[in-house]
């Protein structure tokens, strides 16, 4: 048995001070659905846990004003089932309801979900040294490159890593231009979600731009007419409790049958939640049909690079995205 301390805190400042005092071996914990998993695998080995699940106001869900706001410790299940989110922003509700199992959604927080570590099998199953992994041991190499790479990324990979960003919720938030509220020693700052994730480059172990002591205290999403014309489509090996082979978040601002503005992001195919700007540009001003949707969807994969076993993701990704575009557009009728 390894010694492990645990403390519950009520304010972000108290949590940050406890974290800094505990040093390098400290970790924050809220729902624990990812951290406990990594501890069992021997990847995370904290000596001090600071429980931030009950910070004052951290589970708040506010749908008033011109933005939706979700406290970092709001539960995935509570956000997915909120009537405003469910009815007016289906892309958000669907991304949460299609993630994990109901039991996990009842425990996991929307803030913690943003910071999930990859499900790359070489990252998760190599803690005993069987497989090199630059995320787990910087500079050790990447066994997935040239290895069993069926689940790996075709977009955003580097020579050091091709691990897929695992979440569903971050993909939907990327499409909806969400902002992330962070609190650290120097106070509170807000960044676009696109700035939260680091592409692997030569340093895959540096996955997020968040400071070590910073806490995700909130997520805000602009209210937009595109919310109602939105969907999250996820393709996986089994219907429940499986990570995406390909997923697509689409929200459309429509003018009759014509697309005024498109918001599109991809999951399951990239090293970070992936904004599909070429697709958005091709959809703007167009009338939707299957042929046009597929043409725009294929543009998202123009720079995709397949490995040994994952070339199917390029065609599957384009067709999944085209389906999501048509589905989102049909909600305007």
């Amino acid at each position: 048995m390894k010694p492990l301390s645990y403390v519950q805190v009520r304010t972000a400042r108290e949590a940050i001070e406890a974290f800094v005092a505990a040093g390098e071996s400290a970790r924050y914990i809220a729902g624990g659905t990812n951290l406990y998993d990594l501890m069992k695998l021997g990847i995370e080995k904290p000596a001090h846990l600071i429980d931030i699940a009950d910070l004052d106001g951290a589970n708040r869900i506010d749908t008033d004003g011109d933005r939706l706001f979700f406290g970092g410790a709001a539960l995935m299940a509570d956000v997915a089932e909120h009537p405003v989110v469910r009815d007016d922003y289906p892309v958000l509700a669907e991304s949460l309801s299609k993630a994990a199992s109901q039991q996990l959604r009842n425990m996991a927080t929307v803030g913690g979900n943003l910071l999930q570590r990859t499900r790359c099998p070489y990252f998760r199953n190599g803690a005993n040294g069987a497989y090199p992994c630059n995320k787990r041991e910087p500079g050790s190499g990447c066994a997935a490159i040239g290895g069993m790479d069926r689940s790996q990324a075709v977009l955003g990979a580097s020579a050091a890593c091709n691990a897929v960003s695992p979440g569903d919720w971050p993909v939907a938030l990327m499409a909806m231009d969400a902002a992330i509220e962070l609190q650290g020693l120097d106070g509170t700052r807000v960044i676009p979600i696109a700035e939260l994730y680091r592409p692997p480059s030569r340093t895959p172990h540096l996955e997020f731009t968040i400071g070590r002591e910073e806490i995700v205290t909130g997520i805000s999403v602009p209210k937009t007419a595109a919310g109602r014309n939105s969907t999250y489509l996820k393709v996986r090996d089994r219907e429940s409790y499986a990570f995406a082979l390909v997923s697509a978040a689409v929200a459309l601002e429509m003018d009759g049958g014509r697309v005024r503005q498109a918001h599109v992001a991809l999951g399951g195919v990239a090293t970070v939640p992936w904004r599909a700007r070429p697709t958005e540009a091709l959809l703007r001003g167009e009338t939707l049909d299957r042929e046009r949707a597929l043409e725009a969807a294929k543009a998202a994969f123009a720079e995709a690079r397949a490995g040994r076993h994952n070339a199917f993701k390029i065609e599957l990704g384009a067709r999944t995205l085209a389906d999501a575009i048509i589905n989102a557009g049909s909600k305007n009728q």
Side-chain angles (χ1 to χ4, degrees):
M1 297 292 291
K2 296 180 181 179
L4 181 68
S5 71
Y6 169 85
V7 61
Q8 290 179 303
V9 292
R10 295 306 302 267
T11 69
R13 190 70 197 178
E14 184 183 353
I16 292 164
E17 290 174 353
F19 186 94
V20 172
E24 291 292 318
S25 59
R27 297 290 185 274
Y28 293 122
I29 188 169
T33 56
N34 190 211
L35 180 60
Y36 286 147
D37 196 21
L38 296 175
M39 288 170 66
K40 289 189 288 184
L41 291 169
I43 295 170
E44 289 281 1
K45 301 175 182 179
H48 307 280
L49 296 180
I50 294 96
D51 190 334
I52 59 174
D54 293 322
L55 296 185
D56 292 338
N59 61 355
R60 178 166 63 99
I61 300 174
D62 185 356
T63 59
D64 294 331
D66 60 355
R67 301 180 76 86
L68 307 174
F69 181 86
F70 311 110
L75 299 180
M76 291 171 63
D78 290 344
V79 174
E81 294 161 10
H82 190 283
V84 172
V85 178
R86 185 190 62 228
D87 296 341
D88 295 343
Y89 299 87
V91 66
L92 300 179
E94 291 167 7
S95 72
L96 290 169
S97 63
K98 292 177 181 178
S101 64
Q102 183 65 51
Q103 292 94 329
L104 286 175
R105 294 194 296 271
N106 289 342
M107 287 293 296
T109 65
V110 292
N113 187 271
L114 297 179
L115 305 177
Q116 286 187 88
R117 306 294 303 277
T118 183
R119 258 52 184 188
C120 172
Y122 293 103
F123 169 79
R124 292 172 60 82
N125 298 317
N128 59 3
Y131 304 109
C133 173
N134 287 320
K135 280 188 182 292
R136 196 179 60 250
E137 295 180 29
S140 63
C142 177
I145 296 176
M148 300 297 290
D149 62 1
R150 177 178 180 269
S151 62
Q152 304 301 98
V154 296
L155 291 166
S158 74
C161 181
N162 62 3
V164 164
S165 181
D168 297 296
W169 171 241
V171 178
L173 292 176
M174 184 71 73
M176 296 300 291
D177 297 305
I180 310 304
E181 180 184 282
L182 305 167
Q183 187 165 342
L185 283 173
D186 297 326
T188 300
R189 65 188 180 108
V190 178
I191 61 172
I193 189 172
E195 294 181 11
L196 180 64
Y197 298 94
R198 295 178 184 264
S201 185
R202 292 187 235 175
T203 55
H205 62 292
L206 302 176
E207 297 172 288
F208 311 103
T209 59
I210 186 171
R212 274 204 78 249
E213 87 289 351
E214 284 188 309
I215 300 170
V216 176
T217 50
I219 300 165
S220 63
V221 178
K223 286 187 175 180
T224 169
R228 280 187 175 269
N229 305 320
S230 70
T231 194
Y232 184 77
L233 187 58
K234 181 177 181 179
V235 176
R236 43 195 163 172
D237 282 324
R238 59 182 187 272
E239 180 58 26
S240 64
Y241 198 31
F243 290 89
L245 289 171
V246 173
S247 66
V250 177
L252 302 176
E253 298 176 34
M254 302 294 293
D255 183 7
R258 191 177 298 275
V259 178
R260 182 185 301 121
Q261 198 68 253
H263 309 261
V264 181
L266 295 166
V269 294
T271 54
V272 296
W274 194 264
R275 190 68 181 257
R277 299 289 187 188
T279 299
E280 294 176 347
L282 286 174
L283 289 175
R284 198 173 300 126
E286 298 294 332
T287 301
L288 285 182
D289 57 38
R290 177 69 190 182
E291 182 180 355
R292 199 163 304 249
L294 187 57
E295 177 189 3
K298 287 182 176 179
F301 293 87
E303 297 182 4
R305 297 293 179 267
R308 295 174 61 198
H309 307 290
N310 61 0
F312 74 95
K313 282 193 173 190
I314 298 173
E315 180 70 17
L316 179 63
R319 292 184 177 278
T320 300
L321 177 51
D323 286 346
I325 292 167
I326 294 299
N327 289 350
S330 68
K331 294 185 179 184
N332 188 56
Q333 298 174 0

